[in-house]
Amino acid sequence: SSRVVLMSTPIRLSLAFAAFLLPAPLGAWTEEDLRAAERRLDRQLAAQRAAEVKAKTQADAQRFRETVAAGMVAIPAGEFEMGCSPDDLDCGPDERPSHGVSVKSFRMGKFEVTQAQWRAVMGNNPSRFQGDDRPVEYVSWDDIQTFLQRLNAGNTGKPYRLPSEAEWEYAARAGTRTPWWWGRDIGEGHANCTGCGSRWDGKETAPVGSFPANPFGLHDTTGNVWEWVADCWHDSYRGAPADGSAWLNNCPDNRRVLRGGSWVNLPLFARVSDRGGDGTDYRNGIIGLRLAQDLNP
């Protein structure tokens, strides 16, 4: 007979729950009925688990965005002279001509984006020097565009972005006109670069925030890792925007600008006006990023 004796059949359903799933009288159940009920139960449990995972993921993402938001510093609007610092004999032609720029207020990351933050968004950590509180590195400009898209998904506020080159220098200078925001000499203990006088010099990245902040409250604008900005690379500032926006027209090739120097560079290349550039697909253990964000009107 196709009928079964329920109490002798090895099934996972309780009688009460089976009765809920199958409206047929108990005596009318077949093995196929029970299998169908189990499949429905499995689907219901899987859907419930998926909903719980989705809710947790959304909650985690919201908490992460709140953490990122808490790490942004308001940079006041102002005007500054961008490019080679007065009497700086180390400036190259790409740092000239010095020119006046007016910058609107915006937000900028207090720290370089960390490996923990990158992993929370991207699900991976490409960095050579591992550590949740170290800056993420080995990320290309193209990688960062994907990172920003994911970070901004579900974000109801102003989207996160890379700073313009003018915004970066304005924030890094923080009202100063010297080669480094703290003065005319590299000194010791201000940053992580080869010759900066730190225990990380020329060896590896340092945890973000290991050195004093500049007057705007930003850490590590000198050394640690180069930071991608939004602008195309140009060989000089002739024709550069004067309103603080990213220079995205008349791009000679696919290179984007890098600022700030790194743990492996000499102080010469960590001056606040020094510039670098590379292709949008270039990755290296000396390159990372810092976030920017428009202020609400």
Side-chain angles (χ1 to χ4, degrees), residues 22 49 76 82 118 133 142 145 152 162 183 201 224 230 243 258 264 270 297:
L22 291 171
R49 285 193 294 269
M82 184 175 181
W118 184 273
D133 60 350
D142 291 333
Q145 306 314 301
N152 286 319
L162 287 176
D201 284 13
N224 221 17
D243 61 357
L258 292 155
V264 78

Side-chain angles (χ1 to χ4, degrees), residues 119-159:
R119 186 173 54 248
V121 174
M122 300 293 284
N124 61 58
N125 181 8
S127 304
R128 173 184 176 187
F129 302 107
Q130 295 284 307
D132 281 355
D133 60 350
R134 293 178 185 238
V136 68
E137 13 95 1
Y138 264 106
V139 292
S140 70
W141 195 90
D142 291 333
D143 294 334
I144 292 167
Q145 306 314 301
T146 302
F147 171 81
L148 292 171
Q149 290 174 1
R150 296 184 184 181
L151 176 61
N152 286 319
N155 177 23
T156 57
K158 295 289 185 179

Side-chain angles (χ1 to χ4, degrees), residues 193-216:
C193 73
T194 297
C196 282
S198 84
R199 64 187 178 92
W200 298 281
D201 284 13
K203 301 174 184 175
E204 59 186 337
T205 57
V208 299
S210 294
F211 303 94
N214 74 5
F216 281 168

